[in-house]
């Protein structure tokens, strides 16, 4: 099972990957939205912002967040680490229910480029 620190490192790597992306991926990630990433097996939630193609983690909460973020991810820590390391395909994990992505319809259309 992935640790909190391994999950935080995976989010930092994902942020770096998005910031260095080009073209449609860079455009899709250039949102300014509140973001939460719930790690179910650790019962924690990273909360922060997606801004200018980077993920900024502002806090780590025990359990689910009190307020809904505009973009919400839910998955196990192992799935987060595997996804960021290229060992788990996001679209397949999302389609099978291993990863949950919730956002407004407009944001979902824009984020589909990242998938």
């Amino acid at each position: 099972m992935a640790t909190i620190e391994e999950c935080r490192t995976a989010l930092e790597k994902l942020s770096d990957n998005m910031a260095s992306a080009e073209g449609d991926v860079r455009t899709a990630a250039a949102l300014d939205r509140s973001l939460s990433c719930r790690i179910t097996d650790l019962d924690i939630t990273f909360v922060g912002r997606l801004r200018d193609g980077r993920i900024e983690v502002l806090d780590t909460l025990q359990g689910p967040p009190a307020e809904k973020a505009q973009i919400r991810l839910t998955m196990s820590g192992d799935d987060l680490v595997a996804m960021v390391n290229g060992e788990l395909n996001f679209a397949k994990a999302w389609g099978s229910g291993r990863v949950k992505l919730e956002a407004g319809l407009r944001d979902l259309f824009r984020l589909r480029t990242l998938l």
Side-chain angles (χ1 to χ4, degrees):
M1 179 166 65
T3 66
I4 293 173
E5 197 53 45
E6 289 170 325
C7 292
R8 181 180 294 278
T9 299
L11 285 173
E12 289 170 4
K13 182 177 178 181
L14 177 60
S15 179
D16 291 343
N17 291 346
M18 290 185 334
S20 65
E22 296 178 0
D24 290 341
V25 173
R26 177 79 174 155
T27 301
L31 297 169
D32 185 4
R33 303 284 189 272
S34 59
L35 175 77
S36 67
C37 182
R38 176 120 171 85
I39 306 300
T40 54
D41 54 334
L42 298 175
D43 193 30
I44 61 161
T45 304
F46 295 100
V47 293
R49 290 206 70 82
L50 174 61
R51 181 181 295 135
D52 297 325
R54 295 203 62 90
I55 297 170
E56 179 184 3
V57 175
L58 302 173
D59 202 0
T60 305
L61 308 173
Q62 191 66 38
E67 296 181 24
K68 268 188 170 181
Q70 292 167 305
I71 299 172
R72 299 170 303 282
L73 288 163
T74 304
M75 67 194 81
S76 73
D78 288 341
D79 284 346
L80 172 63
V81 171
M83 202 170 45
V84 172
N85 289 335
E87 300 161 3
L88 177 65
N89 179 280
F90 180 86
K92 288 181 181 178
W94 183 45
S96 69
R98 286 175 66 177
V99 173
K100 189 174 181 182
L101 170 64
E102 298 174 279
L105 188 59
R106 191 182 264 177
D107 287 341
L108 285 174
F109 279 127
R110 193 162 177 188
L111 291 169
R112 76 176 189 270
T113 307
L114 298 174
L115 312 179

